[in-house]
Amino acid sequence: MSQAPATSEATRQGHDREIIALAVPAFGALVAEPLFVMADSAIVGHLGTAQLAGLGIASALLTTAVSIFVFLAYATTSAVARRVGSGDLQAAVRQGMDGIWLALLLGAAVIAVAVPFAPGVVDVFGASATAAPYATTYLRISSLGIPAMLVVLAATGVLRGLQNTRTPLYVAVAGFIANAGLNAVLVYGAGLGIAGSAWGTVIAQCGMAAVYLTVVVRGAHRHGASLRPDAAGIRASAQAGVPLLVRTISLRAILMIATAVAARLGDADIAAHQIVLSLWSLLAFALDAIAIAGQAVIGRYLGADDAAGAREACRRMVQWGITTGVVLGLLVITARPLFLPLFTGDLAVKHTALPALLIVALSQPISGVVFVLDGVLMGAGDGPYLAGAMVLTLVVFTPVALLVPALGGGLTALWGAMTLMMTVRMLTLWLRARSGRWIVTGATR
């Protein structure tokens, strides 16, 4: 990165326009996704505490299952964007179809496990006797929508690779509206209770998948790409996704360890941790939108054999990440007194959360760099390095986090460990970006 010549103002403005055009719709789509769970919770919550508890357990399991397969979007974005950069749109769409077929296969496998084993899985997560039946019902029905959600992930990656983030935004917003309406009708109008909420979500998810498939199939017909499953292509998509799967599992492990440590600190600490973590996750959506733009743009530049353009785009996106991080950090500092009362009136929880929120605010510029470089290296197809870097981060974070309660530290110390984790990620990603080894040009890596 450091070897590139000075960037002209016109080039910077061009990068800025492109980043905004891709990142803003991507941010809207990212924010719309968690609204599914919020809508379900708001509607099911009026049925009773046991139903809401069951929904909480089942939705956590489903969210984890879907998040593990997010590599379907990441790997597909990179591969399709490279083909677009090389000018071969037929191959780009064909590559996307391989990712969609892989999504269907993985979805079928998840159903085969989730439906018969739902009661056992719910028991493992410690559901009470009153909540367990509702969790099992919701999990079994909602599992039927997993293939649709995985298709949505893969098809989203196709469109992002084609430099189209607007369609995912429109589909996500329409899906949220349909989900909320169907839930209300089926839960109360049809009297199906929590099962109605699950069926409403499944129908909305299938509708979203159908829209995506229609868009991709039309693109395939337009560019003469085959829709038939190709074993070699599906296998290549799976192989490209394995390192990103390792990366995602390692990151999920870090978050689970942090929550487990917070639980050992006391009730006020775990309650405050959930509040801080929810804000941290919300801020991540804004930064992840820039990362998504990075995946699409970098993949296209490398596919077009434009190494210099990829370097300049990387540099500009890092600047965007730092600036966005500073702005978000200032917003958190300013809004801290207003944010906490939305979640709790407990003075002990507020007192515990305030210094942790300050750490989150101060670390946002670091997060900005991490998210952007993560997106850049994903766009370059540098999955193996990302996997190794995240495993290293997990190895560094785990003993530090586990020492927090042993040394008498509180939630502030735990979020200090979280900041250390993000700093390790930043250093590993920055060293890779600076080395230039991620820059491998061509239609395939």
PDB file of all heavy atoms in Angstrom, residues 248-279:
ATOM      1  N   THR A 248     -15.013 -17.295  10.721  1.00  0.00           N
ATOM      2  CA  THR A 248     -16.278 -16.956  11.363  1.00  0.00           C
ATOM      3  C   THR A 248     -16.457 -17.710  12.678  1.00  0.00           C
ATOM      4  O   THR A 248     -16.880 -17.126  13.685  1.00  0.00           O
ATOM      5  CB  THR A 248     -17.454 -17.270  10.422  1.00  0.00           C
ATOM      6  OG1 THR A 248     -17.304 -16.518   9.215  1.00  0.00           O
ATOM      7  CG2 THR A 248     -18.787 -16.918  11.070  1.00  0.00           C
ATOM      8  N   ILE A 249     -16.127 -18.991  12.695  1.00  0.00           N
ATOM      9  CA  ILE A 249     -16.261 -19.784  13.922  1.00  0.00           C
ATOM     10  C   ILE A 249     -15.337 -19.243  15.012  1.00  0.00           C
ATOM     11  O   ILE A 249     -15.712 -19.158  16.186  1.00  0.00           O
ATOM     12  CB  ILE A 249     -15.969 -21.269  13.634  1.00  0.00           C
ATOM     13  CG1 ILE A 249     -17.082 -21.868  12.761  1.00  0.00           C
ATOM     14  CG2 ILE A 249     -15.830 -22.053  14.930  1.00  0.00           C
ATOM     15  CD1 ILE A 249     -16.822 -23.293  12.318  1.00  0.00           C
ATOM     16  N   SER A 250     -14.133 -18.840  14.631  1.00  0.00           N
ATOM     17  CA  SER A 250     -13.197 -18.276  15.609  1.00  0.00           C
ATOM     18  C   SER A 250     -13.736 -16.976  16.196  1.00  0.00           C
ATOM     19  O   SER A 250     -13.631 -16.737  17.409  1.00  0.00           O
ATOM     20  CB  SER A 250     -11.840 -18.024  14.946  1.00  0.00           C
ATOM     21  OG  SER A 250     -11.263 -19.223  14.474  1.00  0.00           O
ATOM     22  N   LEU A 251     -14.329 -16.147  15.342  1.00  0.00           N
ATOM     23  CA  LEU A 251     -14.903 -14.893  15.822  1.00  0.00           C
ATOM     24  C   LEU A 251     -16.088 -15.158  16.743  1.00  0.00           C
ATOM     25  O   LEU A 251     -16.221 -14.516  17.796  1.00  0.00           O
ATOM     26  CB  LEU A 251     -15.338 -14.029  14.633  1.00  0.00           C
ATOM     27  CG  LEU A 251     -15.995 -12.682  14.968  1.00  0.00           C
ATOM     28  CD1 LEU A 251     -15.074 -11.836  15.835  1.00  0.00           C
ATOM     29  CD2 LEU A 251     -16.381 -11.936  13.697  1.00  0.00           C
ATOM     30  N   ARG A 252     -16.953 -16.110  16.367  1.00  0.00           N
ATOM     31  CA  ARG A 252     -18.083 -16.447  17.229  1.00  0.00           C
ATOM     32  C   ARG A 252     -17.600 -16.987  18.577  1.00  0.00           C
ATOM     33  O   ARG A 252     -18.200 -16.709  19.621  1.00  0.00           O
ATOM     34  CB  ARG A 252     -18.957 -17.502  16.551  1.00  0.00           C
ATOM     35  CG  ARG A 252     -19.618 -17.077  15.260  1.00  0.00           C
ATOM     36  CD  ARG A 252     -20.609 -15.975  15.408  1.00  0.00           C
ATOM     37  NE  ARG A 252     -21.716 -16.312  16.289  1.00  0.00           N
ATOM     38  CZ  ARG A 252     -22.752 -15.515  16.510  1.00  0.00           C
ATOM     39  NH1 ARG A 252     -22.805 -14.317  15.938  1.00  0.00           N
ATOM     40  NH2 ARG A 252     -23.724 -15.869  17.321  1.00  0.00           N
ATOM     41  N   ALA A 253     -16.501 -17.738  18.558  1.00  0.00           N
ATOM     42  CA  ALA A 253     -15.942 -18.270  19.803  1.00  0.00           C
ATOM     43  C   ALA A 253     -15.484 -17.138  20.709  1.00  0.00           C
ATOM     44  O   ALA A 253     -15.684 -17.173  21.931  1.00  0.00           O
ATOM     45  CB  ALA A 253     -14.778 -19.213  19.493  1.00  0.00           C
ATOM     46  N   ILE A 254     -14.874 -16.119  20.130  1.00  0.00           N
ATOM     47  CA  ILE A 254     -14.429 -14.958  20.912  1.00  0.00           C
ATOM     48  C   ILE A 254     -15.621 -14.294  21.597  1.00  0.00           C
ATOM     49  O   ILE A 254     -15.574 -13.974  22.798  1.00  0.00           O
ATOM     50  CB  ILE A 254     -13.696 -13.955  19.996  1.00  0.00           C
ATOM     51  CG1 ILE A 254     -12.311 -14.500  19.630  1.00  0.00           C
ATOM     52  CG2 ILE A 254     -13.569 -12.585  20.668  1.00  0.00           C
ATOM     53  CD1 ILE A 254     -11.593 -13.704  18.561  1.00  0.00           C
ATOM     54  N   LEU A 255     -16.707 -14.094  20.861  1.00  0.00           N
ATOM     55  CA  LEU A 255     -17.882 -13.439  21.430  1.00  0.00           C
ATOM     56  C   LEU A 255     -18.533 -14.304  22.508  1.00  0.00           C
ATOM     57  O   LEU A 255     -19.006 -13.784  23.530  1.00  0.00           O
ATOM     58  CB  LEU A 255     -18.889 -13.128  20.316  1.00  0.00           C
ATOM     59  CG  LEU A 255     -18.388 -12.154  19.234  1.00  0.00           C
ATOM     60  CD1 LEU A 255     -19.455 -11.956  18.166  1.00  0.00           C
ATOM     61  CD2 LEU A 255     -17.987 -10.824  19.856  1.00  0.00           C
ATOM     62  N   MET A 256     -18.541 -15.613  22.300  1.00  0.00           N
ATOM     63  CA  MET A 256     -19.112 -16.515  23.304  1.00  0.00           C
ATOM     64  C   MET A 256     -18.268 -16.526  24.581  1.00  0.00           C
ATOM     65  O   MET A 256     -18.802 -16.543  25.692  1.00  0.00           O
ATOM     66  CB  MET A 256     -19.230 -17.922  22.723  1.00  0.00           C
ATOM     67  CG  MET A 256     -20.303 -18.069  21.660  1.00  0.00           C
ATOM     68  SD  MET A 256     -20.323 -19.722  20.900  1.00  0.00           S
ATOM     69  CE  MET A 256     -20.777 -20.736  22.323  1.00  0.00           C
ATOM     70  N   ILE A 257     -16.951 -16.510  24.422  1.00  0.00           N
ATOM     71  CA  ILE A 257     -16.062 -16.484  25.590  1.00  0.00           C
ATOM     72  C   ILE A 257     -16.277 -15.193  26.371  1.00  0.00           C
ATOM     73  O   ILE A 257     -16.348 -15.204  27.609  1.00  0.00           O
ATOM     74  CB  ILE A 257     -14.594 -16.624  25.156  1.00  0.00           C
ATOM     75  CG1 ILE A 257     -14.327 -18.047  24.656  1.00  0.00           C
ATOM     76  CG2 ILE A 257     -13.648 -16.276  26.307  1.00  0.00           C
ATOM     77  CD1 ILE A 257     -12.986 -18.209  23.959  1.00  0.00           C
ATOM     78  N   ALA A 258     -16.400 -14.079  25.666  1.00  0.00           N
ATOM     79  CA  ALA A 258     -16.619 -12.790  26.330  1.00  0.00           C
ATOM     80  C   ALA A 258     -17.923 -12.810  27.124  1.00  0.00           C
ATOM     81  O   ALA A 258     -17.971 -12.340  28.278  1.00  0.00           O
ATOM     82  CB  ALA A 258     -16.649 -11.664  25.294  1.00  0.00           C
ATOM     83  N   THR A 259     -18.970 -13.371  26.554  1.00  0.00           N
ATOM     84  CA  THR A 259     -20.251 -13.447  27.255  1.00  0.00           C
ATOM     85  C   THR A 259     -20.163 -14.378  28.461  1.00  0.00           C
ATOM     86  O   THR A 259     -20.711 -14.079  29.536  1.00  0.00           O
ATOM     87  CB  THR A 259     -21.360 -13.937  26.298  1.00  0.00           C
ATOM     88  OG1 THR A 259     -21.477 -13.003  25.215  1.00  0.00           O
ATOM     89  CG2 THR A 259     -22.696 -14.043  27.007  1.00  0.00           C
ATOM     90  N   ALA A 260     -19.461 -15.501  28.320  1.00  0.00           N
ATOM     91  CA  ALA A 260     -19.297 -16.436  29.431  1.00  0.00           C
ATOM     92  C   ALA A 260     -18.521 -15.791  30.580  1.00  0.00           C
ATOM     93  O   ALA A 260     -18.871 -15.974  31.755  1.00  0.00           O
ATOM     94  CB  ALA A 260     -18.580 -17.695  28.949  1.00  0.00           C
ATOM     95  N   VAL A 261     -17.493 -15.036  30.252  1.00  0.00           N
ATOM     96  CA  VAL A 261     -16.713 -14.347  31.287  1.00  0.00           C
ATOM     97  C   VAL A 261     -17.581 -13.304  31.976  1.00  0.00           C
ATOM     98  O   VAL A 261     -17.570 -13.180  33.209  1.00  0.00           O
ATOM     99  CB  VAL A 261     -15.457 -13.697  30.675  1.00  0.00           C
ATOM    100  CG1 VAL A 261     -14.789 -12.762  31.688  1.00  0.00           C
ATOM    101  CG2 VAL A 261     -14.473 -14.763  30.216  1.00  0.00           C
ATOM    102  N   ALA A 262     -18.356 -12.544  31.207  1.00  0.00           N
ATOM    103  CA  ALA A 262     -19.229 -11.526  31.791  1.00  0.00           C
ATOM    104  C   ALA A 262     -20.234 -12.153  32.748  1.00  0.00           C
ATOM    105  O   ALA A 262     -20.547 -11.580  33.803  1.00  0.00           O
ATOM    106  CB  ALA A 262     -19.955 -10.753  30.688  1.00  0.00           C
ATOM    107  N   ALA A 263     -20.735 -13.339  32.399  1.00  0.00           N
ATOM    108  CA  ALA A 263     -21.705 -14.024  33.256  1.00  0.00           C
ATOM    109  C   ALA A 263     -21.092 -14.384  34.605  1.00  0.00           C
ATOM    110  O   ALA A 263     -21.787 -14.408  35.629  1.00  0.00           O
ATOM    111  CB  ALA A 263     -22.222 -15.274  32.556  1.00  0.00           C
ATOM    112  N   ARG A 264     -19.793 -14.665  34.617  1.00  0.00           N
ATOM    113  CA  ARG A 264     -19.110 -15.023  35.868  1.00  0.00           C
ATOM    114  C   ARG A 264     -18.854 -13.798  36.748  1.00  0.00           C
ATOM    115  O   ARG A 264     -18.541 -13.935  37.933  1.00  0.00           O
ATOM    116  CB  ARG A 264     -17.774 -15.702  35.558  1.00  0.00           C
ATOM    117  CG  ARG A 264     -17.923 -17.070  34.891  1.00  0.00           C
ATOM    118  CD  ARG A 264     -16.568 -17.637  34.497  1.00  0.00           C
ATOM    119  NE  ARG A 264     -15.690 -17.830  35.652  1.00  0.00           N
ATOM    120  CZ  ARG A 264     -14.409 -18.174  35.556  1.00  0.00           C
ATOM    121  NH1 ARG A 264     -13.858 -18.378  34.360  1.00  0.00           N
ATOM    122  NH2 ARG A 264     -13.681 -18.331  36.640  1.00  0.00           N
ATOM    123  N   LEU A 265     -18.973 -12.600  36.173  1.00  0.00           N
ATOM    124  CA  LEU A 265     -18.690 -11.381  36.934  1.00  0.00           C
ATOM    125  C   LEU A 265     -19.861 -10.940  37.798  1.00  0.00           C
ATOM    126  O   LEU A 265     -19.685 -10.142  38.716  1.00  0.00           O
ATOM    127  CB  LEU A 265     -18.313 -10.240  35.970  1.00  0.00           C
ATOM    128  CG  LEU A 265     -17.051 -10.457  35.137  1.00  0.00           C
ATOM    129  CD1 LEU A 265     -16.860  -9.309  34.157  1.00  0.00           C
ATOM    130  CD2 LEU A 265     -15.822 -10.598  36.038  1.00  0.00           C
ATOM    131  N   GLY A 266     -21.071 -11.420  37.501  1.00  0.00           N
ATOM    132  CA  GLY A 266     -22.240 -11.038  38.291  1.00  0.00           C
ATOM    133  C   GLY A 266     -23.396 -10.597  37.408  1.00  0.00           C
ATOM    134  O   GLY A 266     -23.238 -10.347  36.213  1.00  0.00           O
ATOM    135  N   ASP A 267     -24.577 -10.483  38.011  1.00  0.00           N
ATOM    136  CA  ASP A 267     -25.778 -10.150  37.249  1.00  0.00           C
ATOM    137  C   ASP A 267     -25.691  -8.768  36.609  1.00  0.00           C
ATOM    138  O   ASP A 267     -26.084  -8.582  35.456  1.00  0.00           O
ATOM    139  CB  ASP A 267     -27.008 -10.221  38.158  1.00  0.00           C
ATOM    140  CG  ASP A 267     -27.358 -11.657  38.550  1.00  0.00           C
ATOM    141  OD1 ASP A 267     -26.808 -12.583  37.916  1.00  0.00           O
ATOM    142  OD2 ASP A 267     -28.161 -11.835  39.473  1.00  0.00           O
ATOM    143  N   ALA A 268     -25.217  -7.791  37.359  1.00  0.00           N
ATOM    144  CA  ALA A 268     -25.123  -6.435  36.810  1.00  0.00           C
ATOM    145  C   ALA A 268     -24.144  -6.394  35.646  1.00  0.00           C
ATOM    146  O   ALA A 268     -24.384  -5.703  34.642  1.00  0.00           O
ATOM    147  CB  ALA A 268     -24.696  -5.444  37.894  1.00  0.00           C
ATOM    148  N   ASP A 269     -23.067  -7.145  35.749  1.00  0.00           N
ATOM    149  CA  ASP A 269     -22.053  -7.152  34.690  1.00  0.00           C
ATOM    150  C   ASP A 269     -22.568  -7.812  33.421  1.00  0.00           C
ATOM    151  O   ASP A 269     -22.353  -7.294  32.315  1.00  0.00           O
ATOM    152  CB  ASP A 269     -20.794  -7.878  35.181  1.00  0.00           C
ATOM    153  CG  ASP A 269     -20.076  -7.116  36.268  1.00  0.00           C
ATOM    154  OD1 ASP A 269     -20.419  -7.302  37.445  1.00  0.00           O
ATOM    155  OD2 ASP A 269     -19.190  -6.324  35.933  1.00  0.00           O
ATOM    156  N   ILE A 270     -23.252  -8.947  33.539  1.00  0.00           N
ATOM    157  CA  ILE A 270     -23.742  -9.621  32.339  1.00  0.00           C
ATOM    158  C   ILE A 270     -24.851  -8.806  31.685  1.00  0.00           C
ATOM    159  O   ILE A 270     -24.953  -8.732  30.457  1.00  0.00           O
ATOM    160  CB  ILE A 270     -24.217 -11.065  32.653  1.00  0.00           C
ATOM    161  CG1 ILE A 270     -24.611 -11.787  31.352  1.00  0.00           C
ATOM    162  CG2 ILE A 270     -25.362 -11.069  33.624  1.00  0.00           C
ATOM    163  CD1 ILE A 270     -23.525 -11.924  30.333  1.00  0.00           C
ATOM    164  N   ALA A 271     -25.680  -8.155  32.510  1.00  0.00           N
ATOM    165  CA  ALA A 271     -26.724  -7.300  31.945  1.00  0.00           C
ATOM    166  C   ALA A 271     -26.095  -6.115  31.202  1.00  0.00           C
ATOM    167  O   ALA A 271     -26.506  -5.779  30.086  1.00  0.00           O
ATOM    168  CB  ALA A 271     -27.649  -6.799  33.047  1.00  0.00           C
ATOM    169  N   ALA A 272     -25.096  -5.496  31.814  1.00  0.00           N
ATOM    170  CA  ALA A 272     -24.414  -4.370  31.175  1.00  0.00           C
ATOM    171  C   ALA A 272     -23.673  -4.830  29.924  1.00  0.00           C
ATOM    172  O   ALA A 272     -23.626  -4.122  28.912  1.00  0.00           O
ATOM    173  CB  ALA A 272     -23.436  -3.724  32.160  1.00  0.00           C
ATOM    174  N   HIS A 273     -23.088  -6.027  29.992  1.00  0.00           N
ATOM    175  CA  HIS A 273     -22.359  -6.558  28.841  1.00  0.00           C
ATOM    176  C   HIS A 273     -23.284  -6.727  27.638  1.00  0.00           C
ATOM    177  O   HIS A 273     -22.910  -6.407  26.511  1.00  0.00           O
ATOM    178  CB  HIS A 273     -21.727  -7.903  29.204  1.00  0.00           C
ATOM    179  CG  HIS A 273     -21.047  -8.588  28.049  1.00  0.00           C
ATOM    180  ND1 HIS A 273     -19.840  -8.146  27.536  1.00  0.00           N
ATOM    181  CD2 HIS A 273     -21.410  -9.665  27.298  1.00  0.00           C
ATOM    182  CE1 HIS A 273     -19.484  -8.936  26.536  1.00  0.00           C
ATOM    183  NE2 HIS A 273     -20.430  -9.853  26.364  1.00  0.00           N
ATOM    184  N   GLN A 274     -24.486  -7.223  27.869  1.00  0.00           N
ATOM    185  CA  GLN A 274     -25.427  -7.407  26.771  1.00  0.00           C
ATOM    186  C   GLN A 274     -25.798  -6.073  26.130  1.00  0.00           C
ATOM    187  O   GLN A 274     -25.953  -5.974  24.916  1.00  0.00           O
ATOM    188  CB  GLN A 274     -26.685  -8.131  27.270  1.00  0.00           C
ATOM    189  CG  GLN A 274     -26.461  -9.596  27.604  1.00  0.00           C
ATOM    190  CD  GLN A 274     -25.870 -10.367  26.425  1.00  0.00           C
ATOM    191  OE1 GLN A 274     -24.731 -10.819  26.455  1.00  0.00           O
ATOM    192  NE2 GLN A 274     -26.653 -10.517  25.367  1.00  0.00           N
ATOM    193  N   ILE A 275     -25.926  -5.049  26.946  1.00  0.00           N
ATOM    194  CA  ILE A 275     -26.228  -3.719  26.417  1.00  0.00           C
ATOM    195  C   ILE A 275     -25.064  -3.202  25.579  1.00  0.00           C
ATOM    196  O   ILE A 275     -25.242  -2.711  24.453  1.00  0.00           O
ATOM    197  CB  ILE A 275     -26.532  -2.735  27.568  1.00  0.00           C
ATOM    198  CG1 ILE A 275     -27.813  -3.154  28.292  1.00  0.00           C
ATOM    199  CG2 ILE A 275     -26.648  -1.309  27.045  1.00  0.00           C
ATOM    200  CD1 ILE A 275     -28.086  -2.377  29.564  1.00  0.00           C
ATOM    201  N   VAL A 276     -23.857  -3.303  26.118  1.00  0.00           N
ATOM    202  CA  VAL A 276     -22.670  -2.821  25.407  1.00  0.00           C
ATOM    203  C   VAL A 276     -22.458  -3.623  24.123  1.00  0.00           C
ATOM    204  O   VAL A 276     -22.140  -3.059  23.065  1.00  0.00           O
ATOM    205  CB  VAL A 276     -21.425  -2.911  26.321  1.00  0.00           C
ATOM    206  CG1 VAL A 276     -20.170  -2.498  25.549  1.00  0.00           C
ATOM    207  CG2 VAL A 276     -21.605  -2.022  27.544  1.00  0.00           C
ATOM    208  N   LEU A 277     -22.648  -4.936  24.210  1.00  0.00           N
ATOM    209  CA  LEU A 277     -22.457  -5.786  23.038  1.00  0.00           C
ATOM    210  C   LEU A 277     -23.471  -5.464  21.953  1.00  0.00           C
ATOM    211  O   LEU A 277     -23.142  -5.486  20.761  1.00  0.00           O
ATOM    212  CB  LEU A 277     -22.568  -7.256  23.442  1.00  0.00           C
ATOM    213  CG  LEU A 277     -22.261  -8.287  22.339  1.00  0.00           C
ATOM    214  CD1 LEU A 277     -20.813  -8.152  21.862  1.00  0.00           C
ATOM    215  CD2 LEU A 277     -22.515  -9.701  22.861  1.00  0.00           C
ATOM    216  N   SER A 278     -24.698  -5.150  22.341  1.00  0.00           N
ATOM    217  CA  SER A 278     -25.715  -4.801  21.347  1.00  0.00           C
ATOM    218  C   SER A 278     -25.338  -3.521  20.605  1.00  0.00           C
ATOM    219  O   SER A 278     -25.528  -3.419  19.390  1.00  0.00           O
ATOM    220  CB  SER A 278     -27.088  -4.653  22.013  1.00  0.00           C
ATOM    221  OG  SER A 278     -27.119  -3.541  22.877  1.00  0.00           O
ATOM    222  N   LEU A 279     -24.793  -2.549  21.328  1.00  0.00           N
ATOM    223  CA  LEU A 279     -24.356  -1.310  20.673  1.00  0.00           C
ATOM    224  C   LEU A 279     -23.147  -1.577  19.785  1.00  0.00           C
ATOM    225  O   LEU A 279     -23.068  -1.074  18.654  1.00  0.00           O
ATOM    226  CB  LEU A 279     -24.014  -0.250  21.722  1.00  0.00           C
ATOM    227  CG  LEU A 279     -23.473   1.072  21.155  1.00  0.00           C
ATOM    228  CD1 LEU A 279     -24.501   1.735  20.255  1.00  0.00           C
ATOM    229  CD2 LEU A 279     -23.049   2.013  22.276  1.00  0.00           C
TER     230      LEU A 279
END
